[in-house]
Amino acid sequence: TVTDAHLVLGRLRPGKSPGGTLDLNLQAATDAIRTHVAEPLGMSVPDAAAGIIELTEQHLLSAVEHISIERGHSPRRFSLVAAGGAGPMHGAAIGAGLGCHQVYVPRDAGALCAIGMLHADIRQDFTKVLVGSLDDLPNEVVLAGFADLESRALDTMQTEGFAEDAVHLRHELELHHPGQMWSIRVRLSAGAFDPATVRAAFEVEYERLYGHVQNDGTVMVASLRLIASASPAVQARPRTITEVTNEDLAPSEQRAVWFPNDGWVDAAVFDGDQLHPGERITGPALIEELTTTVVVRPGDELVVDPTGNFMISLAPSDRSIIAAPGVDAARSSEGLDPVILALMQNRLDQITRHM
């Protein structure tokens, strides 16, 4: 598994996990990778473990690329948020592969999904099929359709325990050109339907997604959509952290850790509880938290922000995730590396899916 690979490469501490719920066995992880990956592929155990990490990060990178590009956004314009128990272990590598300059790691990354579930708005979506040309649909037909959706939405939210004045309603039209496979959502003001305004908003979004517009092209309505939402009673409490800079900050240990392109290096390992706002750490380093481990690559810099979370500034580099892990020139001349072949096949598969 990916956990076994991290353990073999020094990124996870053998023994009991911080919460005491897991016992990570380095020897068992080494034996598993040797038996199931390294020996069948004719590789060393460290190279096999590195290959597992490389393939995992390539899949993660492709997934983020696909989601972002599909919505018309370039990932390099954003900071990547690395959440989940494993996210901070891969965040810096994925961010660098995407061209991002920074990676943001919440202190409670391993519990972020649960925290988000507790604080997220309650939401219900309602749709009504309404087919016709944007310019030909009568105003009263569109407004009557939304009135029906509003009635259904308020009844549903009332059963969820929300009064009418606590419910926020968002009105949208799903639009497309004739023959276009996917519809584009355009938001409307409540109780207002102006075809000219809707067309202008549609064309702005269409150009953002596809890079051009069809001037005076026919715009079809596919359906009406209403989104009803309300905030739960649970309110997020701001984290209160005393800003204390520890001038004597020292790692709890030094550990040999594997990094792409750098191989095995001595990395400083810090206890996350000892890091306070304003403190800086330059990689290679590991930050061990209760719910996750943060990997800081060589040359990257981690800063603890005022809320106690971590911001990683990525070192400028033109190196990609698809660098051969642990494969030197002499070995490359002996034959094709199976990890590189798998990485290239995955990359070509992703390209064909976007064509």
Side-chain angles (χ1 to χ4, degrees):
T1 66
V2 177
T3 301
D4 292 328
H6 280 302
L7 193 57
V8 168
L9 296 177
R11 298 180 172 197
L12 289 175
R13 179 191 300 275
K16 289 290 185 182
S17 63
T21 57
L22 294 175
D23 191 354
L24 300 179
N25 189 318
L26 176 58
Q27 187 59 53
T30 302
D31 293 342
I33 291 179
R34 177 185 295 110
T35 301
H36 299 288
V37 182
E39 290 180 352
L41 294 178
M43 307 173 69
S44 68
V45 171
D47 281 351
I52 292 172
I53 299 300
E54 296 280 307
L55 285 169
T56 299
E57 290 178 345
Q58 180 62 71
H59 281 290
L60 292 171
L61 183 149
S62 298
V64 177
E65 274 187 335
H66 178 70
I67 293 171
S68 303
I69 294 171
E70 186 180 64
R71 297 179 180 179
H73 299 294
S74 171
R76 69 187 59 197
R77 295 175 48 236
F78 301 89
S79 295
L80 180 69
V81 178
M89 302 193 73
H90 303 282
I94 302 303
L98 292 169
C100 301
H101 298 290
Q102 293 181 314
V103 173
Y104 192 70
V105 181
R107 176 82 67 154
D108 299 321
L112 197 65
C113 290
I115 295 171
M117 181 184 69
L118 291 174
H119 297 289
D121 287 351
I122 306 300
R123 169 173 164 164
Q124 296 281 356
D125 288 42
F126 302 85
T127 59
K128 185 181 185 70
V129 175
L130 181 63
V131 179
S133 169
L134 175 64
D135 296 323
D136 296 336
L137 279 175
N139 188 291
E140 58 272 15
V141 172
V142 174
L143 295 180
F146 275 121
D148 178 57
L149 292 178
E150 289 174 10
S151 177
R152 290 166 50 193
L154 293 174
D155 287 344
T156 300
M157 295 301 285
Q158 186 176 19
T159 63
E160 296 271 6
F162 297 102
E164 181 176 336
D165 59 358
V167 179
H168 174 73
L169 300 177
R170 174 168 173 163
H171 303 71
E172 295 180 342
L173 285 176
E174 295 189 342
L175 309 170
H176 63 90
H177 288 302
Q180 182 181 342
M181 182 177 295
W182 306 109
S183 295
I184 295 175
R185 296 183 187 177
V186 172
R187 186 173 183 175
L188 303 180
S189 299
F193 172 62
D194 176 33
T197 302
V198 172
R199 173 184 287 275
F202 171 80
E203 291 179 345
V204 168
E205 183 67 6
Y206 190 95
E207 184 173 21
R208 187 185 70 82
L209 290 171
Y210 304 113
H212 66 95
V213 294
Q214 300 182 28
N215 294 320
D216 301 322
T218 300
V219 177
M220 301 295 297
V221 177
S223 62
L224 311 180
R225 176 177 290 270
L226 184 74
I227 301 169
S229 61
S231 298
V234 177
Q235 297 296 322
R237 294 181 179 179
R239 180 191 295 270
T240 302
I241 296 181
T242 304
E243 185 166 346
V244 177
T245 300
N246 185 0
E247 296 180 356
D248 299 323
L249 179 66
S252 58
E253 66 170 301
Q254 295 285 139
R255 186 191 309 164
V257 179
W258 179 90
F259 290 92
N261 303 293
D262 297 288
W264 291 97
V265 298
D266 285 335
V269 181
F270 293 88
D271 182 351
D273 288 341
Q274 302 303 314
L275 299 181
H276 305 287
E279 292 179 327
R280 297 174 179 269
I281 293 173
T282 300
L286 301 176
I287 314 299
E288 294 183 334
E289 283 285 343
L290 182 63
T291 64
T292 188
T293 295
V294 184
V295 174
V296 186
R297 306 175 309 154
D300 293 346
E301 184 180 58
L302 179 146
V303 178
V304 185
D305 75 6
T307 62
N309 299 314
F310 306 124
M311 178 66 82
I312 303 175
S313 296
L314 303 178
S317 174
D318 56 2
R319 299 177 300 186
S320 70
I321 284 179
I322 311 181
V327 181
D328 55 24
R331 176 174 175 182
S332 297
S333 64
E334 297 174 1
L336 295 174
D337 182 84
V339 173
I340 299 303
L341 287 175
L343 285 168
M344 294 305 298
Q345 179 181 353
N346 177 71
R347 198 64 177 144
L348 290 172
D349 287 344
Q350 292 296 329
I351 291 172
T352 58
R353 290 171 187 167
H354 287 117
M355 293 177 64

